[in-house]
Amino acid sequence: QVQLVESGGGVVQSGRSLRLSCTASGFTFSARGMHWVRQAPGKGLEWLAVTSYDGSEKYYADSVKGRFTISRDNSKNTLYLQINSLRAEDTAVYYCAKDTTTPQIDYWGQGTLVTVSS
Amino acid sequence: QSALTQPASVSGSPGQSIAISCTGTSSDVGAYDYVSWYQQHPGKAPKLLIYGVSNRPSGVSDRFSGSKSGNTASLTISGLQAEDEADYYCCSYTSSVTRVFGGGTKLTVL
């Protein structure tokens, strides 16, 4: 069965950087686009970024462009999200998610909580 | 990249049917049949209910159905059950090759 396990979250000081990871299993990771989506406490889902199956194409939400970087290592079945210059408003649960054979998300990880402190 | 528009809340009694709308633009919902719906219970990850506007993944109850007209997609839940109480989100592919979610709808089963 599909499993997506995020890690790397925690309490981080404002202005610092953080790299989140998502380890995938149960499907052919190198054949699927992958996403990062976040959810601030008590708020809705916010799509952040997507990478194509081979990492050659990457697209970002305007709100994070230039500060967030999505990447993947298909040899390790792992997706990454680099977050720079962390701000209080980046406090959220960060989910990784996979695409179906069409550009739609089907499976989600359980999320990792990032808390930005001042 | 404005969020798709969903009602903040809807409610219904057990056994009734409810519909949740999701309004976008001609650059997202209106342009592609890549509209999906997700159910999220408190403290849990979202779960796919509908993809491709109206398709259900295996294991999802046929009480859930989806449709689209123009720039507005809809999720209908028939035969409401207590366990349907949750937050619901729509999502669309966009002409910028990005994705956009709706603001979410809280369903209360009375």
Side-chain angles (χ1 to χ4, degrees):
Chain A
Q1 72 282 20
V2 173
Q3 281 200 318
L4 299 169
V5 179
E6 301 92 340
S7 60
V11 180
V12 188
Q13 277 192 320
S14 178
R16 304 293 287 265
S17 297
L18 191 67
R19 188 177 81 159
L20 306 180
S21 300
C22 169
T23 302
S25 61
F27 66 102
T28 304
F29 180 74
S30 59
R32 291 288 178 263
M34 295 292 297
H35 301 258
W36 286 100
V37 179
R38 72 181 175 185
Q39 186 170 36
K43 302 296 184 182
L45 301 172
E46 179 186 14
W47 180 84
L48 299 176
V50 63
T51 175
S52 60
Y53 68 99
D54 61 355
S56 63
E57 297 181 46
K58 303 173 186 181
Y59 299 92
Y60 298 90
D62 289 343
S63 60
V64 303
K65 203 175 295 183
R67 204 164 56 89
F68 287 26
T69 302
I70 189 172
S71 61
R72 65 191 299 160
D73 185 337
N74 285 346
S75 68
K76 296 182 179 178
N77 281 6
T78 302
L79 177 73
Y80 302 101
L81 184 68
Q82 177 73 32
I83 308 174
N84 296 328
S85 304
L86 277 156
R87 307 166 180 168
E89 54 264 37
D90 294 323
T91 293
V93 174
Y94 286 74
Y95 294 101
C96 72
K98 68 173 280 290
D99 263 344
T100 67
T101 53
T102 60
Q104 297 167 100
I105 292 170
D106 55 0
Y107 287 96
W108 302 67
Q110 285 306 302
T112 187
L113 176 62
V114 173
T115 303
V116 182
S117 69
S118 54
Chain B
Q1 289 183 349
S2 299
L4 307 176
T5 300
Q6 296 182 233
S9 63
V10 297
S11 63
S13 299
Q16 286 186 330
S17 295
I18 62 96
I20 299 172
S21 61
C22 169
T23 301
T25 70
S26 57
S27 296
D28 40 62
V29 174
Y32 307 96
D33 284 339
Y34 295 139
V35 177
S36 49
W37 289 90
Y38 303 90
Q39 178 191 60
Q40 186 181 36
H41 287 107
K44 300 294 187 181
K47 172 191 171 185
L48 178 66
L49 291 177
I50 297 287
Y51 67 96
V53 174
S54 59
N55 301 291
R56 276 187 313 275
S58 60
V60 172
S61 171
D62 60 4
R63 297 187 299 105
F64 296 93
S65 62
S67 62
K68 189 183 85 166
S69 178
N71 295 340
T72 299
S74 297
L75 172 71
T76 298
I77 309 175
S78 59
L80 269 179
Q81 300 178 0
E83 68 222 43
D84 297 333
E85 187 160 295
D87 294 325
Y88 292 83
Y89 295 90
C90 60
C91 181
S92 177
Y93 179 80
T94 81
S95 59
S96 303
V97 198
T98 60
R99 312 294 186 271
V100 60
F101 283 96
T105 298
K106 182 177 180 60
L107 169 61
T108 300
V109 180
L110 302 170

